Amino acid sequence: DLNKCGPMMLDALIKIKNEQDSTLSFRRSCREGICGSCSMNIDGSNGLACLTAIDRDTTKPSAVNPLPHMFVIRDLVVDMSNFYAQYKSIEPFLKKKNESVKGKENYQDIKSRAKLDGLYECILCACCSTSCPSYWWNSDKYLGPAVLMQAYRWIIDSRDEFTEERLAQLDDTFKLYRCHTIMNCAKACPKGLNPGQAIAKIKRSHLLGGL
């Protein structure tokens, strides 16, 4: 009854947990599409439960499943350990070769800052990576769309001084080149980002020998 429940799938899950089955397990936090916690597969598509509206035709059943091809801890909670380990491996932070000057602001011009648009907004919900067939079969070696897009975010950052090293780290048959441009990632992203484009730009940088 949508008159007694909020309009989003997360509202329905919370209502079920509060009123029908207190053992139901799922992740949630912000309820605003910012934290990425409530990522799951809803009616066959990956997305955030807090941004996915309940079908107004309540006579039709809705299928809610954990993110595909991930180890399930319980109910809708999947093990994100490998995903986060891959994210850690790209060293997602600014790296400077000269650390002698500390406490000084790293200035960035407007044009360079604009290059980060469409990259920094990623919330690491893993909707894109878990929609990618290449990641399904090679998640132990292939970094996946989300992590590779974040890798490019640091590669393209004008304030970072380890661009060549970052590119060299990704020049690997499995880490990067398992991407076959299927583009499920762009379709699945709840933030409207395009990981496939970022991956293509990394490949182009390898081909041309730099950015």
Side-chain angles (χ1 to χ4, degrees):
D1 186 352
L2 290 178
N3 291 320
K4 299 179 180 179
C5 177
M8 300 299 177
M9 289 300 299
L10 182 59
D11 296 313
L13 291 171
I14 292 173
K15 187 174 179 64
I16 291 170
K17 186 176 180 67
N18 288 342
E19 300 178 8
Q20 298 180 26
D21 184 359
S22 61
T23 68
L24 177 63
S25 298
F26 54 90
R27 291 189 175 106
R28 66 180 179 89
S29 184
C30 73
R31 298 177 62 135
E32 298 292 338
I34 300 299
C35 71
S37 298
C38 64
S39 54
M40 56 189 71
N41 185 279
I42 302 169
D43 289 330
S45 298
N46 290 353
L48 300 178
C50 65
L51 296 183
T52 304
I54 300 171
D55 192 333
R56 303 297 296 182
D57 183 1
T58 55
T59 61
K60 297 190 298 183
S62 290
V64 182
N65 294 287
L67 290 173
H69 290 263
M70 298 282 272
F71 291 107
V72 177
I73 297 174
R74 175 170 174 164
D75 296 336
L76 300 173
V77 178
V78 298
D79 186 354
M80 301 284 282
S81 300
N82 181 59
F83 179 80
Y84 290 138
Q86 291 174 325
Y87 180 58
K88 181 180 179 180
S89 74
I90 64 167
E91 300 185 316
F93 44 83
L94 282 178
K95 297 176 66 179
K96 306 289 283 186
K97 293 185 177 179
N98 182 9
E99 294 288 356
S100 61
V101 183
K102 294 188 177 181
K104 185 178 180 181
E105 184 177 355
N106 291 308
Y107 291 106
Q108 187 173 48
D109 60 59
I110 295 174
K111 185 177 180 180
S112 296
R113 166 60 186 80
K115 293 179 180 180
L116 304 182
D117 290 340
L119 301 171
Y120 79 89
E121 299 95 331
C122 174
I123 56 175
L124 298 173
C125 63
C127 283
C128 63
S129 291
T130 55
S131 71
C132 173
S134 293
Y135 192 73
W136 295 347
W137 313 133
N138 301 286
S139 59
D140 58 330
K141 299 177 182 178
Y142 174 48
L143 293 180
V147 172
L148 287 172
M149 183 169 70
Q150 286 307 292
Y152 183 67
R153 177 256 178 273
W154 294 105
I155 288 170
I156 202 69
D157 196 315
S158 61
R159 299 165 296 177
D160 191 270
E161 296 177 351
F162 280 75
T163 301
E164 291 183 6
E165 291 84 351
R166 290 181 186 278
L167 284 171
Q169 182 197 20
L170 296 177
D171 193 4
D172 180 88
T173 302
F174 276 93
K175 283 183 180 179
L176 174 65
Y177 289 98
R178 287 299 93 187
C179 172
H180 299 304
T181 327
I182 299 171
M183 300 305 289
N184 281 3
C185 53
K187 182 178 180 181
C189 180
K191 306 296 286 186
L193 308 180
N194 190 343
Q197 183 181 58
I199 295 171
K201 288 181 178 179
I202 297 175
K203 291 179 179 178
R204 181 176 182 273
S205 296
H206 284 154
L207 182 65
L208 299 179
L211 292 177

